Amino acid sequence: MLIRKPLLAGVTENDVTPQHLYLDRRKIMAVGGAFALTGLTSACSAQEPSADMAPRTMGGELNFSETAYRVTDGDLTPHDAVTGYNNFYEFGTGKSDPARYAEAMTTDPWSVQVDGHAERTGTFAVEDLVDFNALEERIYRLRCVEAWSMVIPWIGVPLSSVLERFRPTSDARYVAFETYTNRSEMRGVRFPVLDWPYREGLRMDEAMHPLTLMAVGLYGEVLPNQNGAPMRLVVPWKYGFKSIKSISRIRFVADEPQTSWKQSAPREYGFYSNVNPNRSHPRWSQSSERIIGEGPFARRDTQMFNGYDEVASLYSDLDLEENY
Ligand code: MTE
């Protein structure tokens, strides 16, 4: 995030997957998902996919249903830009480093440690956290603090459905997340760019908000490693860095948890990090953003909360200039 590189480094026009091909396929998959939900499957697929049949390897296709949560004012960002222009500092600070190096990360098996103020804690597999029979697609805009944005067809479940499984107690006012760290698989963590592991946190009401997604896929497929396999957050009204990737620990805590970017540069990155065109980053304006995948000059005005006005009530008691 501290390093600025030319747009779409390593991605050429020829790499871009035509969106109509995806959209056609998406229609078919959504219909398949609806059949599974209503039990109208044919004899050969009568058995509902069970959790352990969930595809886990990169490129595996997911069954999902569509929801009403979708951006309407913008085209989908081409698949190859979504998977080729990434921030995942554990694999390097260059935008093309994650696509180049994240394959080295083992995502199956994957365990997540859950601890803190909850009735149920312990170590769990991804399938214990996410109901793969209840996946939905949500087309959200992800707006990075670096003033660029993408519109991505994510697949996942509401984060609330994951957290409720652990029955957090009333002492759990925040939830903290950590990313998996492995020096032999993640070349970026050999350098002290951040104090590893990557850490993020949400207030409990933000975490339980229906817009907050635990994503396991995008563009109809299992998440590519560079996008945060096997599961990552998508918090669409906050700057992209709140959407922590490859989660390996979830902690229910009483006090505001430390987060990586706030710890690294508290003057630049706060705990809340709500998209706010009126509050500039100390080194650049946040009033507009480059649209990734639409050429070097395509821009749009940044909207408060990234356009997700329904979250405004969460912050009615908060000064968003101070609590950035
Ligand atoms: N999660 C981890 N573990 N490490 C990171 O470096 N980068 C963040 C966020 N999650 C990051 C992370 C930032 S700055 C952004 S903009 C988004 O991931 C980018 O997500 P994408 O690559 O899926 O577009």
Side-chain angles (χ1 to χ4, degrees), residues 1 82 85-90 142-146 148 150 152 154 179 194 196 198 218 226-228 232 239-246 261:
M1 241 168 349
V82 172
Y85 185 83
N86 301 102
N87 278 330
F88 199 163
Y89 276 22
E90 286 85 337
L142 184 138
R143 204 291 191 179
C144 183
V145 75
E146 295 164 323
W148 50 262
M150 301 193 191
I152 300 173
W154 299 105
T179 294
L194 291 171
W196 311 109
Y198 193 101
L218 54 79
Q226 61 267 35
N227 292 89
R232 53 92 53 86
Y239 291 118
F241 66 88
K242 294 295 283 186
S243 293
I244 182 172
K245 296 177 170 181
S246 305
W261 285 104

Short mmCIF file of all heavy atoms in Angstrom, two decimals, residues 1 82 85-90 142-146 148 150 152 154 179 194 196 198 218 226-228 232 239-246 261, ligand 1:
data_model
loop_
_atom_site.label_atom_id
_atom_site.label_comp_id
_atom_site.label_asym_id
_atom_site.label_seq_id
_atom_site.Cartn_x
_atom_site.Cartn_y
_atom_site.Cartn_z
N MET A 1 0.80 -1.19 0.00
CA MET A 1 0.00 0.00 0.00
C MET A 1 0.85 1.26 0.00
O MET A 1 0.44 2.30 -0.45
CB MET A 1 -0.90 0.02 1.20
CG MET A 1 -2.30 0.04 0.73
SD MET A 1 -3.57 -0.27 1.92
CE MET A 1 -2.77 -0.82 3.35
N VAL A 82 -8.87 -8.93 -11.87
CA VAL A 82 -9.23 -9.28 -10.49
C VAL A 82 -8.19 -10.24 -9.89
O VAL A 82 -7.85 -10.15 -8.71
CB VAL A 82 -10.64 -9.92 -10.43
CG1 VAL A 82 -10.95 -10.48 -9.06
CG2 VAL A 82 -11.71 -8.92 -10.86
N TYR A 85 -3.99 -8.36 -10.43
CA TYR A 85 -3.59 -7.07 -9.88
C TYR A 85 -4.03 -7.06 -8.43
O TYR A 85 -5.18 -6.75 -8.12
CB TYR A 85 -4.29 -5.96 -10.68
CG TYR A 85 -3.88 -4.55 -10.31
CD1 TYR A 85 -2.73 -3.98 -10.85
CD2 TYR A 85 -4.65 -3.78 -9.44
CE1 TYR A 85 -2.36 -2.68 -10.54
CE2 TYR A 85 -4.29 -2.48 -9.12
CZ TYR A 85 -3.14 -1.93 -9.66
OH TYR A 85 -2.78 -0.64 -9.35
N ASN A 86 -3.17 -7.50 -7.55
CA ASN A 86 -3.59 -7.75 -6.16
C ASN A 86 -2.65 -7.15 -5.14
O ASN A 86 -1.46 -6.98 -5.40
CB ASN A 86 -3.64 -9.27 -5.88
CG ASN A 86 -4.58 -10.00 -6.80
OD1 ASN A 86 -4.14 -10.63 -7.75
ND2 ASN A 86 -5.87 -9.90 -6.54
N ASN A 87 -3.19 -6.91 -3.98
CA ASN A 87 -2.39 -6.65 -2.78
C ASN A 87 -2.48 -7.88 -1.89
O ASN A 87 -3.59 -8.26 -1.48
CB ASN A 87 -2.94 -5.44 -2.01
CG ASN A 87 -2.48 -4.12 -2.58
OD1 ASN A 87 -1.39 -4.03 -3.14
ND2 ASN A 87 -3.29 -3.10 -2.44
N PHE A 88 -1.36 -8.47 -1.63
CA PHE A 88 -1.27 -9.59 -0.68
C PHE A 88 0.21 -9.60 -0.30
O PHE A 88 1.01 -10.31 -0.88
CB PHE A 88 -1.71 -10.90 -1.34
CG PHE A 88 -2.10 -12.02 -0.38
CD1 PHE A 88 -2.84 -13.11 -0.84
CD2 PHE A 88 -1.75 -11.99 0.97
CE1 PHE A 88 -3.22 -14.15 0.01
CE2 PHE A 88 -2.12 -13.02 1.83
CZ PHE A 88 -2.85 -14.10 1.34
N TYR A 89 0.53 -8.72 0.66
CA TYR A 89 1.93 -8.42 0.95
C TYR A 89 2.72 -9.63 1.44
O TYR A 89 3.94 -9.63 1.39
CB TYR A 89 2.01 -7.27 1.96
CG TYR A 89 1.91 -5.90 1.33
CD1 TYR A 89 1.33 -5.71 0.08
CD2 TYR A 89 2.42 -4.78 1.99
CE1 TYR A 89 1.26 -4.46 -0.49
CE2 TYR A 89 2.35 -3.52 1.41
CZ TYR A 89 1.77 -3.36 0.17
OH TYR A 89 1.70 -2.12 -0.40
N GLU A 90 2.02 -10.66 1.90
CA GLU A 90 2.72 -11.87 2.32
C GLU A 90 3.49 -12.49 1.14
O GLU A 90 4.40 -13.29 1.32
CB GLU A 90 1.73 -12.91 2.86
CG GLU A 90 1.18 -12.59 4.25
CD GLU A 90 -0.02 -11.64 4.25
OE1 GLU A 90 -0.20 -10.89 3.27
OE2 GLU A 90 -0.77 -11.66 5.25
N LEU A 142 -14.98 -3.21 -4.58
CA LEU A 142 -13.92 -3.13 -3.58
C LEU A 142 -13.12 -1.87 -3.89
O LEU A 142 -12.63 -1.70 -5.00
CB LEU A 142 -13.03 -4.38 -3.64
CG LEU A 142 -11.93 -4.48 -2.58
CD1 LEU A 142 -11.84 -5.89 -2.03
CD2 LEU A 142 -10.58 -4.07 -3.13
N ARG A 143 -13.03 -0.97 -2.93
CA ARG A 143 -12.35 0.30 -3.14
C ARG A 143 -11.10 0.29 -2.27
O ARG A 143 -11.16 0.23 -1.04
CB ARG A 143 -13.30 1.43 -2.74
CG ARG A 143 -13.07 2.80 -3.36
CD ARG A 143 -11.83 3.47 -2.89
NE ARG A 143 -11.76 4.88 -3.28
CZ ARG A 143 -10.76 5.66 -2.95
NH1 ARG A 143 -9.74 5.20 -2.28
NH2 ARG A 143 -10.76 6.93 -3.30
N CYS A 144 -9.97 0.30 -2.93
CA CYS A 144 -8.70 0.22 -2.21
C CYS A 144 -8.33 1.61 -1.69
O CYS A 144 -8.68 2.63 -2.28
CB CYS A 144 -7.61 -0.30 -3.14
SG CYS A 144 -6.02 -0.52 -2.31
N VAL A 145 -7.61 1.67 -0.58
CA VAL A 145 -7.16 2.94 -0.02
C VAL A 145 -6.22 3.65 -0.99
O VAL A 145 -6.04 4.87 -0.93
CB VAL A 145 -6.51 2.71 1.37
CG1 VAL A 145 -5.12 2.10 1.21
CG2 VAL A 145 -6.46 3.97 2.18
N GLU A 146 -5.65 2.90 -1.92
CA GLU A 146 -4.75 3.51 -2.92
C GLU A 146 -5.51 4.22 -4.04
O GLU A 146 -4.91 4.62 -5.02
CB GLU A 146 -3.87 2.43 -3.55
CG GLU A 146 -2.91 1.80 -2.58
CD GLU A 146 -2.34 0.50 -3.11
OE1 GLU A 146 -3.07 -0.26 -3.78
OE2 GLU A 146 -1.16 0.22 -2.87
N TRP A 148 -8.07 3.14 -6.13
CA TRP A 148 -8.55 2.40 -7.30
C TRP A 148 -9.66 1.46 -6.85
O TRP A 148 -9.80 1.19 -5.64
CB TRP A 148 -7.44 1.63 -8.02
CG TRP A 148 -6.54 0.76 -7.18
CD1 TRP A 148 -5.30 1.09 -6.69
CD2 TRP A 148 -6.79 -0.59 -6.71
NE1 TRP A 148 -4.77 0.04 -5.96
CE2 TRP A 148 -5.66 -1.00 -5.96
CE3 TRP A 148 -7.85 -1.48 -6.84
CZ2 TRP A 148 -5.57 -2.25 -5.35
CZ3 TRP A 148 -7.75 -2.74 -6.24
CH2 TRP A 148 -6.62 -3.11 -5.51
N MET A 150 -12.48 -2.00 -8.03
CA MET A 150 -12.88 -3.09 -8.92
C MET A 150 -14.30 -3.51 -8.53
O MET A 150 -14.68 -3.38 -7.36
CB MET A 150 -12.00 -4.33 -8.73
CG MET A 150 -10.53 -4.11 -8.97
SD MET A 150 -9.71 -5.74 -9.08
CE MET A 150 -8.00 -5.24 -9.03
N ILE A 152 -16.47 -6.85 -8.35
CA ILE A 152 -16.11 -8.28 -8.34
C ILE A 152 -17.32 -9.14 -7.97
O ILE A 152 -18.02 -8.85 -7.00
CB ILE A 152 -14.96 -8.52 -7.33
CG1 ILE A 152 -13.73 -7.68 -7.74
CG2 ILE A 152 -14.60 -10.01 -7.23
CD1 ILE A 152 -12.59 -7.68 -6.75
N TRP A 154 -18.27 -11.80 -6.05
CA TRP A 154 -17.78 -12.65 -4.95
C TRP A 154 -18.77 -13.78 -4.69
O TRP A 154 -19.97 -13.61 -4.90
CB TRP A 154 -17.68 -11.84 -3.66
CG TRP A 154 -16.74 -10.68 -3.71
CD1 TRP A 154 -17.08 -9.36 -3.80
CD2 TRP A 154 -15.31 -10.71 -3.64
NE1 TRP A 154 -15.95 -8.58 -3.80
CE2 TRP A 154 -14.86 -9.38 -3.71
CE3 TRP A 154 -14.37 -11.74 -3.53
CZ2 TRP A 154 -13.51 -9.04 -3.67
CZ3 TRP A 154 -13.03 -11.40 -3.49
CH2 TRP A 154 -12.61 -10.07 -3.56
N THR A 179 -4.22 -13.54 9.42
CA THR A 179 -3.90 -14.32 8.22
C THR A 179 -2.84 -15.36 8.55
O THR A 179 -1.95 -15.11 9.38
CB THR A 179 -3.37 -13.37 7.12
OG1 THR A 179 -4.42 -12.51 6.72
CG2 THR A 179 -2.85 -14.12 5.90
N LEU A 194 5.41 -5.45 7.28
CA LEU A 194 4.40 -5.32 8.34
C LEU A 194 4.84 -6.22 9.49
O LEU A 194 5.70 -7.09 9.31
CB LEU A 194 3.03 -5.77 7.83
CG LEU A 194 2.33 -4.90 6.78
CD1 LEU A 194 1.09 -5.61 6.23
CD2 LEU A 194 1.93 -3.55 7.37
N TRP A 196 4.08 -9.19 11.00
CA TRP A 196 3.26 -10.36 10.69
C TRP A 196 2.81 -11.06 11.95
O TRP A 196 3.54 -11.00 12.93
CB TRP A 196 4.06 -11.33 9.79
CG TRP A 196 4.69 -10.64 8.63
CD1 TRP A 196 6.01 -10.40 8.43
CD2 TRP A 196 4.01 -10.10 7.47
NE1 TRP A 196 6.21 -9.73 7.25
CE2 TRP A 196 5.01 -9.54 6.64
CE3 TRP A 196 2.68 -10.03 7.07
CZ2 TRP A 196 4.70 -8.91 5.44
CZ3 TRP A 196 2.38 -9.41 5.87
CH2 TRP A 196 3.38 -8.87 5.08
N TYR A 198 -0.57 -10.64 9.37
CA TYR A 198 -1.51 -9.58 8.97
C TYR A 198 -2.72 -9.69 9.89
O TYR A 198 -3.27 -10.77 10.09
CB TYR A 198 -1.92 -9.80 7.53
CG TYR A 198 -2.63 -8.64 6.86
CD1 TYR A 198 -1.95 -7.79 6.00
CD2 TYR A 198 -4.00 -8.44 7.03
CE1 TYR A 198 -2.61 -6.74 5.34
CE2 TYR A 198 -4.66 -7.40 6.39
CZ TYR A 198 -3.96 -6.56 5.54
OH TYR A 198 -4.60 -5.53 4.90
N LEU A 218 -14.85 -16.41 -6.31
CA LEU A 218 -15.18 -15.27 -7.15
C LEU A 218 -15.32 -15.77 -8.58
O LEU A 218 -14.76 -16.80 -8.95
CB LEU A 218 -14.15 -14.13 -7.03
CG LEU A 218 -12.67 -14.37 -7.24
CD1 LEU A 218 -12.31 -14.45 -8.71
CD2 LEU A 218 -11.88 -13.23 -6.60
N GLN A 226 -4.19 -15.96 -4.68
CA GLN A 226 -3.81 -14.54 -4.60
C GLN A 226 -4.95 -13.66 -4.11
O GLN A 226 -4.73 -12.54 -3.67
CB GLN A 226 -3.27 -14.03 -5.94
CG GLN A 226 -4.23 -14.10 -7.11
CD GLN A 226 -4.08 -15.38 -7.91
OE1 GLN A 226 -3.80 -16.43 -7.35
NE2 GLN A 226 -4.28 -15.30 -9.21
N ASN A 227 -6.18 -14.17 -4.20
CA ASN A 227 -7.33 -13.39 -3.71
C ASN A 227 -7.74 -13.78 -2.30
O ASN A 227 -8.74 -13.28 -1.79
CB ASN A 227 -8.52 -13.54 -4.67
CG ASN A 227 -8.25 -12.87 -6.00
OD1 ASN A 227 -7.70 -13.50 -6.91
ND2 ASN A 227 -8.56 -11.60 -6.13
N GLY A 228 -6.97 -14.70 -1.67
CA GLY A 228 -7.21 -14.95 -0.25
C GLY A 228 -7.78 -16.30 0.09
O GLY A 228 -8.49 -16.43 1.10
N ARG A 232 -11.74 -15.33 2.88
CA ARG A 232 -11.32 -13.97 3.21
C ARG A 232 -12.55 -13.12 3.42
O ARG A 232 -13.65 -13.46 2.96
CB ARG A 232 -10.44 -13.40 2.10
CG ARG A 232 -11.00 -13.43 0.67
CD ARG A 232 -11.76 -12.23 0.20
NE ARG A 232 -11.21 -10.93 0.30
CZ ARG A 232 -10.41 -10.33 -0.60
NH1 ARG A 232 -10.04 -10.98 -1.69
NH2 ARG A 232 -10.02 -9.10 -0.42
N TYR A 239 -12.25 0.50 3.20
CA TYR A 239 -11.13 0.36 2.27
C TYR A 239 -10.69 -1.10 2.22
O TYR A 239 -10.79 -1.83 3.21
CB TYR A 239 -9.97 1.28 2.71
CG TYR A 239 -10.30 2.75 2.52
CD1 TYR A 239 -10.34 3.62 3.59
CD2 TYR A 239 -10.58 3.25 1.25
CE1 TYR A 239 -10.66 4.97 3.42
CE2 TYR A 239 -10.90 4.58 1.06
CZ TYR A 239 -10.94 5.44 2.14
OH TYR A 239 -11.26 6.77 1.95
N GLY A 240 -10.19 -1.48 1.05
CA GLY A 240 -9.90 -2.90 0.78
C GLY A 240 -9.03 -3.58 1.81
O GLY A 240 -9.14 -4.79 2.01
N PHE A 241 -8.17 -2.82 2.51
CA PHE A 241 -7.25 -3.51 3.42
C PHE A 241 -7.95 -4.13 4.62
O PHE A 241 -7.39 -5.01 5.28
CB PHE A 241 -6.09 -2.59 3.84
CG PHE A 241 -6.44 -1.39 4.67
CD1 PHE A 241 -6.50 -1.49 6.06
CD2 PHE A 241 -6.69 -0.16 4.08
CE1 PHE A 241 -6.79 -0.37 6.83
CE2 PHE A 241 -6.98 0.96 4.84
CZ PHE A 241 -7.04 0.86 6.22
N LYS A 242 -9.23 -3.69 4.90
CA LYS A 242 -9.97 -4.34 6.00
C LYS A 242 -10.40 -5.76 5.59
O LYS A 242 -10.77 -6.56 6.45
CB LYS A 242 -11.24 -3.55 6.34
CG LYS A 242 -11.01 -2.17 6.91
CD LYS A 242 -10.35 -2.17 8.27
CE LYS A 242 -11.26 -2.53 9.41
NZ LYS A 242 -10.57 -2.38 10.73
N SER A 243 -10.42 -6.02 4.28
CA SER A 243 -10.89 -7.32 3.78
C SER A 243 -9.75 -8.33 3.82
O SER A 243 -9.12 -8.64 2.81
CB SER A 243 -11.46 -7.16 2.37
OG SER A 243 -12.63 -6.37 2.40
N ILE A 244 -9.49 -8.82 5.01
CA ILE A 244 -8.31 -9.67 5.26
C ILE A 244 -8.44 -11.03 4.56
O ILE A 244 -9.51 -11.64 4.52
CB ILE A 244 -8.11 -9.84 6.79
CG1 ILE A 244 -6.87 -10.68 7.11
CG2 ILE A 244 -9.34 -10.42 7.47
CD1 ILE A 244 -6.53 -10.69 8.61
N LYS A 245 -7.31 -11.48 4.03
CA LYS A 245 -7.28 -12.71 3.23
C LYS A 245 -6.78 -13.91 4.04
O LYS A 245 -6.12 -13.75 5.07
CB LYS A 245 -6.32 -12.50 2.05
CG LYS A 245 -6.77 -11.42 1.09
CD LYS A 245 -5.76 -11.20 -0.02
CE LYS A 245 -6.34 -10.29 -1.09
NZ LYS A 245 -5.39 -10.10 -2.19
N SER A 246 -7.07 -15.08 3.51
CA SER A 246 -6.53 -16.36 4.01
C SER A 246 -6.53 -16.40 5.55
O SER A 246 -5.48 -16.49 6.20
CB SER A 246 -5.12 -16.58 3.46
OG SER A 246 -5.13 -16.52 2.05
N TRP A 261 -2.34 -2.27 9.54
CA TRP A 261 -2.03 -1.00 8.91
C TRP A 261 -2.09 0.14 9.91
O TRP A 261 -1.30 1.09 9.83
CB TRP A 261 -2.94 -0.75 7.71
CG TRP A 261 -2.49 -1.61 6.57
CD1 TRP A 261 -3.08 -2.75 6.12
CD2 TRP A 261 -1.32 -1.41 5.77
NE1 TRP A 261 -2.34 -3.28 5.09
CE2 TRP A 261 -1.27 -2.47 4.86
CE3 TRP A 261 -0.32 -0.44 5.75
CZ2 TRP A 261 -0.24 -2.61 3.92
CZ3 TRP A 261 0.70 -0.56 4.81
CH2 TRP A 261 0.74 -1.64 3.91
N1 MTE B 1 -4.90 -9.47 3.39
C1 MTE B 1 -3.66 -9.89 3.68
N2 MTE B 1 -3.50 -10.97 4.46
N3 MTE B 1 -2.55 -9.28 3.19
C2 MTE B 1 -2.64 -8.15 2.42
O1 MTE B 1 -1.60 -7.59 2.02
N4 MTE B 1 -4.13 -6.54 1.33
C3 MTE B 1 -5.40 -5.84 1.50
C4 MTE B 1 -6.60 -6.80 1.48
N5 MTE B 1 -6.34 -7.96 2.28
C5 MTE B 1 -3.94 -7.67 2.10
C6 MTE B 1 -5.07 -8.37 2.60
C7 MTE B 1 -5.59 -4.78 0.51
S1 MTE B 1 -4.61 -3.41 0.66
C8 MTE B 1 -6.53 -4.87 -0.48
S2 MTE B 1 -6.85 -3.54 -1.50
C9 MTE B 1 -7.30 -6.10 -0.70
O2 MTE B 1 -6.87 -7.16 0.13
C10 MTE B 1 -7.13 -6.54 -2.13
O3 MTE B 1 -7.90 -7.67 -2.39
P1 MTE B 1 -7.87 -8.36 -3.82
O4 MTE B 1 -6.46 -8.71 -4.11
O5 MTE B 1 -8.73 -9.56 -3.72
O6 MTE B 1 -8.41 -7.34 -4.78
#
